[in-house]
Amino acid sequence: MGPDALAAIFPEELIKQEMSTERWIPIPEEVREVLRLWRPSPLFRARHLEKALNTPAKIYYKNESVSPAGSHKPNTAVAQAYYNKQAGIKRLTTETGAGQWGCSLSLAGQLFGLDVRVYMVKVSYNQKPYRRSMMQTWGAEVFASPTDMTNAGRQILAQHPDSDGSLGIAISEAAEEAAGRDDTNYALGSVLNHVLLHQTVIGEEAKKQLEMVGDYPDMIFAPCGGGSNLGGIAFPFFADKAAGKDVKLVAVEPTSCPTLTKGVYTYDFGDAIGMTPLLKMYTLGHDFMPLGIHAGGLRYHGDSALVSQLHNEGLVDAVAVPQLETFEAGVLFARNEGIIPAPESTHAIAATIREAKWCAETGEAKTLLFNLSGHGHFDMTSYDRYFAGELEDSDYPEEAIKESLAHLPKVG
Amino acid sequence: MGPDALAAIFPEELIKQEMSTERWIPIPEEVREVLRLWRPSPLFRARHLEKALNTPAKIYYKNESVSPAGSHKPNTAVAQAYYNKQAGIKRLTTETGAGQWGCSLSLAGQLFGLDVRVYMVKVSYNQKPYRRSMMQTWGAEVFASPTDMTNAGRQILAQHPDSDGSLGIAISEAAEEAAGRDDTNYALGSVLNHVLLHQTVIGEEAKKQLEMVGDYPDMIFAPCGGGSNLGGIAFPFFADKAAGKDVKLVAVEPTSCPTLTKGVYTYDFGDAIGMTPLLKMYTLGHDFMPLGIHAGGLRYHGDSALVSQLHNEGLVDAVAVPQLETFEAGVLFARNEGIIPAPESTHAIAATIREAKWCAETGEAKTLLFNLSGHGHFDMTSYDRYFAGELEDSDYPEEAIKESLAHLPKVG
């Protein structure tokens, strides 16, 4: 795939970043000026949690929940809005499932004077009205997808008038609209190289903050869906490997959507229905749909090409954690550190707790760092269901993975 | 009223603080250690908002929404939990309406190992399930009030089996339980002197933060319900008046519950049904119930005795703002500064915007500071209703105030 394939829906500067081999790309002052509304995000030492675990390990977390949208997503939304504005674009379209990304792009579009249209998966539109309200507060138009405004939407509605929608359909609608209008581009919230690039502000800050207290992590944990918050916190530490630092990077995923731990490394589509160019990545098959999982941001069948390559080369570890363990970890964290974490973030917390407990057994005083990618203020129904005993560890979806892997595209 | 009247439900150290005339009371290290989870809270200059208003005024805001519970309330909840723990108390009871205070005390109790029981007004319990979920995540028991567990609750239920509850009833239930058990105390989230004392950490920090940028406010705005966030940000600046600083302090209240601007300064009960000792304060009458207002934290009929006295002496100004203007201000703030404010906080924003617009007319480059007391993540239905055109400015409730003022207690 070359730059031309992307030009219909992305501005030139973002395509250049997507293809760049430069180590450093400066952050424009206009972007910095907006990021300052919540950055640098705080780095905390989780002393109460350490005490509760009776561990000799030091646990640090980078708190990305302090952004107005409540997660790390605005870090790239702001940059994407800026470069689109510079390119003369007037409108952005995007899809959103749980609403984190739609909120972030709505906020960023508002701050740069771009109109934003969000295709929100219909089931989420109805179940998560507060995320929709946030997007509207930031001035965005939000539609329940499938809509009758696009060919893709109309096609689905003709076949399934009562369709609840899916992320794949919403992507098709948003991309179709952007491809068909000169004044409109499309924006994606994870997976792509330029998205991970923008998120490295997390790790760059964390390095400086740890330096201020004279510390350096032995291990870094981040939840991994599309890969942007993992790449964001981990890649800046990665560069130190050449300088002899031995930091271990761990991607944490749900056992119900075990892309890195159970997927295959091959070419596949980025979306569910096969519209995108092929990406070389770990994948469970583009039509794999995990059931019964409350971390909506970790339901992606594939993974960032960069994270995939590093995992394939043995430079990024991966671990899968079952759902109940993640909520148990989230509650332990909330009861000791105060913040109620998003279900995605609880994956990183669970893996960190495993390691901290291991340190308690071995007596090692390791320095652990995890990315608290977001708060759970709009996920309280998931906590409710956890307390009510209604959540389960979905079994390892062996049959579903086998079936979806059978649909992988044939690559010449 | 002397200390004895309070001893059944408050620990001795808090009663001492309630009665103290000392200028400084040190914050115990155990309390500081918890406050560090989110303090110092950031002070921001609202440059985007200034630009949108085209004002020469400098607008600063203290962001209290960064606490895990989402508002300034944990500042006192933590201190109250600590002093109760020190006094050997095992359990705390409290009431909550919208849920901000109940969340804050649940969090604080959890961190100090105290059991917390929250009587939540039934209508809120059913309408705001996410605030209830947060309290449970922090380990608290939450009951829809009226319950059948207290005499007060049973009495109400006998008369009104379908009662939706009220803050007055919930206070009665919480206080009755605390008064009847040696291991249990009661905690209040505003109004009292020791609560305002604990909140002065906001203003002490703000002074130091403004000093770092070489600035000092000409005017300070805060929403005023019971008075604790106003007292918290304003009182530390108050002390500078003696040193010749001319800072103007403005309490902002809703036109639908205009305690300081339309109430009388006299003795009245602190609760709705006349259980508490009498307090000298501005009051609309203890059985005054404002209708149709989305800032639940500003529905209180009375006001802190300290704030009331200062207002009576002309040292604290007050202004009342209608509901629609507050939401308009909240949306303008969210679209420029990112953060979606709580409906209580939008009152301070609206009054600040009025002043900044006035500065734009006069050309004065005043320095304005307001307290962003909390975020609106659990108030998105109110924003929805605002966008849908369903909110109204309730008229000045002249008849209701006249009626409730007729019920003021006769003081000898």
Side-chain angles (χ1 to χ4, degrees):
Chain A
M1 186 179 74
D4 292 352
L6 301 171
I9 56 172
F10 293 115
E12 193 183 343
E13 283 302 314
L14 289 181
I15 298 173
K16 276 190 198 162
Q17 291 177 9
E18 189 66 19
M19 307 291 172
S20 173
T21 55
E22 295 297 317
R23 167 145 282 180
W24 295 101
I25 295 176
I27 306 175
E29 180 50 32
E30 292 89 337
V31 173
R32 285 175 180 270
E33 210 265 317
V34 174
L35 294 184
R36 272 186 211 113
L37 290 175
W38 67 91
R39 303 211 72 87
S41 72
L43 180 90
F44 280 99
R45 177 139 172 223
R47 289 183 191 270
H48 294 77
L49 181 63
E50 290 173 14
K51 206 170 151 190
L53 295 169
N54 196 18
T55 179
K58 284 186 280 186
I59 302 175
Y60 293 93
Y61 63 96
K62 183 74 169 161
N63 183 6
E64 290 295 308
S65 78
V66 296
S67 81
S71 80
H72 65 295
K73 295 277 183 187
N75 297 332
T76 182
V78 169
Q80 292 190 48
Y82 167 76
Y83 287 113
N84 274 291
K85 177 78 174 183
Q86 289 303 102
I89 289 297
K90 307 283 182 219
R91 298 173 70 250
L92 291 174
T93 63
T94 198
E95 74 291 335
T96 202
Q100 278 282 12
W101 170 242
C103 281
S104 302
L105 196 69
S106 301
L107 168 65
Q110 176 67 44
L111 293 171
F112 284 105
L114 294 169
D115 290 335
V116 173
R117 177 173 285 183
V118 182
Y119 291 89
M120 186 172 189
V121 178
K122 190 186 278 176
V123 61
S124 299
Y125 184 93
N126 292 325
Q127 282 177 356
K128 299 194 108 188
Y130 302 124
R131 278 283 175 197
R132 170 177 54 70
S133 313
M134 285 184 95
M135 293 184 247
Q136 289 167 338
T137 302
W138 287 315
E141 287 181 303
V142 188
F143 294 96
S145 166
T147 73
D148 60 3
M149 304 184 304
T150 65
N151 290 330
R154 283 186 291 267
Q155 191 181 321
I156 297 287
L157 287 174
Q159 292 164 16
H160 310 283
D162 298 326
S163 169
D164 269 345
S166 75
L167 214 48
I169 297 166
I171 292 175
S172 302
E173 292 206 273
E176 179 189 319
E177 182 182 338
R181 288 183 59 157
D182 284 348
D183 66 346
T184 303
N185 267 344
Y186 168 75
L188 190 68
S190 189
V191 181
L192 297 179
N193 302 341
H194 68 271
V195 179
L196 272 69
L197 171 73
H198 302 154
Q199 293 292 1
T200 55
V201 66
I202 304 171
E204 293 294 344
E205 284 178 6
K207 268 172 83 163
K208 289 201 175 168
Q209 289 165 320
L210 282 168
E211 237 174 67
M212 287 168 72
V213 290
D215 220 330
Y216 194 90
D218 296 301
M219 298 178 76
I220 300 174
F221 300 85
C224 190
S228 75
N229 99 73
L230 172 79
I233 194 165
F235 287 0
F237 289 92
F238 216 82
D240 299 342
K241 287 212 171 198
K245 290 274 191 188
D246 184 26
V247 57
K248 200 169 161 186
L249 313 176
V250 185
V252 192
E253 56 186 23
T255 48
S256 55
C257 189
T259 317
L260 293 171
T261 50
K262 300 286 183 185
V264 297
Y265 187 49
T266 185
Y267 284 94
D268 198 2
F269 297 111
D271 68 324
I273 55 178
M275 278 183 63
T276 72
L278 293 172
L279 293 156
K280 186 153 188 199
M281 61 181 178
Y282 280 85
T283 177
L284 296 167
H286 56 277
D287 56 7
F288 174 76
M289 284 284 282
L291 294 174
I293 164 184
H294 278 259
L298 307 183
R299 290 170 59 98
Y300 190 57
H301 69 276
D303 219 316
S304 141
L306 289 172
V307 169
S308 293
Q309 186 178 343
L310 292 170
H311 180 56
N312 188 247
E313 291 175 7
L315 297 168
V316 166
D317 286 354
V319 60
V321 182
Q323 180 164 261
L324 289 180
E325 184 180 341
T326 67
F327 275 92
E328 191 187 343
V331 171
L332 187 69
F333 183 78
R335 291 186 177 174
N336 285 282
E337 297 295 319
I339 301 163
I340 298 178
E344 292 80 7
S345 310
T346 61
H347 286 72
I349 298 172
T352 304
I353 288 175
R354 280 189 188 179
E355 188 66 30
K357 284 181 175 171
W358 179 244
C359 288
E361 283 191 30
T362 64
E364 288 171 286
K366 281 187 187 171
T367 297
L368 312 178
L369 168 65
F370 73 86
N371 198 17
L372 186 76
S373 54
H375 62 60
H377 296 175
F378 297 91
D379 303 280
M380 295 313 301
T381 42
S382 312
Y383 280 91
D384 264 357
R385 295 197 60 202
Y386 170 69
F387 287 121
E390 292 169 18
L391 291 193
E392 288 179 0
D393 288 336
S394 48
D395 291 337
Y396 164 56
E398 196 170 348
E399 283 308 310
I401 292 175
K402 201 187 281 179
E403 195 184 320
S404 58
L405 286 179
H407 304 159
L408 282 175
K410 303 286 174 281
V411 181
Chain B
M1 184 177 76
D4 292 352
L6 301 169
I9 56 173
F10 294 115
E12 191 185 343
E13 283 302 314
L14 290 180
I15 298 173
K16 277 191 199 160
Q17 291 177 10
E18 189 66 19
M19 308 290 171
S20 173
T21 55
E22 294 297 315
R23 166 145 281 177
W24 295 101
I25 294 176
I27 306 175
E29 179 52 31
E30 293 89 338
V31 173
R32 286 174 179 270
E33 211 265 317
V34 173
L35 294 184
R36 273 187 209 111
L37 291 174
W38 69 91
R39 304 211 73 87
S41 72
L43 180 91
F44 281 99
R45 176 141 173 221
R47 290 182 189 273
H48 294 76
L49 182 63
E50 290 172 13
K51 208 170 150 190
L53 296 169
N54 196 22
T55 179
K58 284 187 280 186
I59 302 175
Y60 293 93
Y61 63 95
K62 184 74 169 160
N63 184 5
E64 290 296 308
S65 79
V66 298
S67 82
S71 80
H72 65 295
K73 295 276 184 189
N75 297 332
T76 183
V78 170
Q80 292 190 48
Y82 167 76
Y83 288 112
N84 275 290
K85 177 78 175 182
Q86 289 302 102
I89 288 297
K90 307 284 182 216
R91 299 172 70 250
L92 290 174
T93 62
T94 198
E95 74 291 336
T96 202
Q100 279 281 13
W101 170 243
C103 281
S104 303
L105 195 70
S106 301
L107 168 65
Q110 177 66 45
L111 294 171
F112 285 103
L114 294 170
D115 291 336
V116 173
R117 177 173 286 181
V118 182
Y119 292 88
M120 186 173 189
V121 178
K122 191 187 276 174
V123 60
S124 298
Y125 184 93
N126 292 326
Q127 282 177 356
K128 298 195 108 188
Y130 302 124
R131 278 284 174 195
R132 172 176 53 72
S133 312
M134 286 182 95
M135 292 184 247
Q136 289 167 338
T137 302
W138 286 316
E141 288 180 301
V142 188
F143 294 96
S145 166
T147 73
D148 60 3
M149 304 184 304
T150 65
N151 290 330
R154 283 187 291 268
Q155 190 181 322
I156 297 288
L157 287 173
Q159 293 165 12
H160 310 285
D162 298 328
S163 168
D164 270 345
S166 76
L167 214 47
I169 298 167
I171 292 176
S172 302
E173 292 206 273
E176 178 188 321
E177 182 181 339
R181 288 184 58 156
D182 283 349
D183 66 346
T184 302
N185 267 345
Y186 168 75
L188 190 69
S190 190
V191 180
L192 297 179
N193 302 342
H194 67 271
V195 179
L196 272 69
L197 172 73
H198 302 153
Q199 293 292 0
T200 55
V201 66
I202 303 171
E204 292 295 343
E205 284 178 7
K207 268 172 84 165
K208 289 201 175 165
Q209 288 166 320
L210 283 167
E211 236 175 69
M212 289 168 72
V213 291
D215 220 331
Y216 194 89
D218 296 303
M219 297 178 77
I220 301 175
F221 301 85
C224 191
S228 75
N229 99 73
L230 171 80
I233 194 164
F235 287 180
F237 289 93
F238 216 82
D240 300 343
K241 287 211 170 197
K245 292 273 192 187
D246 183 26
V247 57
K248 200 169 163 186
L249 313 176
V250 185
V252 192
E253 57 186 20
T255 48
S256 55
C257 189
T259 317
L260 293 172
T261 51
K262 301 283 182 186
V264 295
Y265 186 50
T266 186
Y267 284 93
D268 198 1
F269 297 112
D271 67 325
I273 54 177
M275 279 184 62
T276 71
L278 293 172
L279 294 155
K280 185 152 188 200
M281 61 182 178
Y282 279 86
T283 177
L284 296 167
H286 56 275
D287 57 7
F288 174 76
M289 285 285 283
L291 294 174
I293 163 181
H294 279 260
L298 306 183
R299 289 170 58 97
Y300 189 57
H301 68 276
D303 218 318
S304 139
L306 289 172
V307 170
S308 294
Q309 185 179 345
L310 291 170
H311 180 57
N312 188 247
E313 291 175 7
L315 297 168
V316 166
D317 286 353
V319 59
V321 183
Q323 179 163 259
L324 289 179
E325 184 180 342
T326 67
F327 275 92
E328 191 187 341
V331 171
L332 186 71
F333 183 78
R335 290 186 178 174
N336 284 284
E337 297 295 317
I339 301 162
I340 298 177
E344 290 81 7
S345 309
T346 61
H347 285 71
I349 299 173
T352 305
I353 288 175
R354 280 189 187 178
E355 186 67 30
K357 283 182 176 170
W358 179 246
C359 288
E361 283 191 32
T362 63
E364 288 171 284
K366 282 189 186 168
T367 297
L368 313 178
L369 167 65
F370 72 86
N371 198 18
L372 186 76
S373 55
H375 62 60
H377 297 175
F378 297 91
D379 302 282
M380 295 312 301
T381 42
S382 312
Y383 280 92
D384 265 358
R385 296 198 58 204
Y386 170 69
F387 287 122
E390 292 169 18
L391 290 195
E392 289 179 359
D393 288 336
S394 47
D395 291 337
Y396 163 56
E398 197 172 346
E399 283 308 310
I401 293 175
K402 202 187 281 178
E403 195 184 321
S404 57
L405 285 181
H407 304 157
L408 282 175
K410 304 285 174 281
V411 181

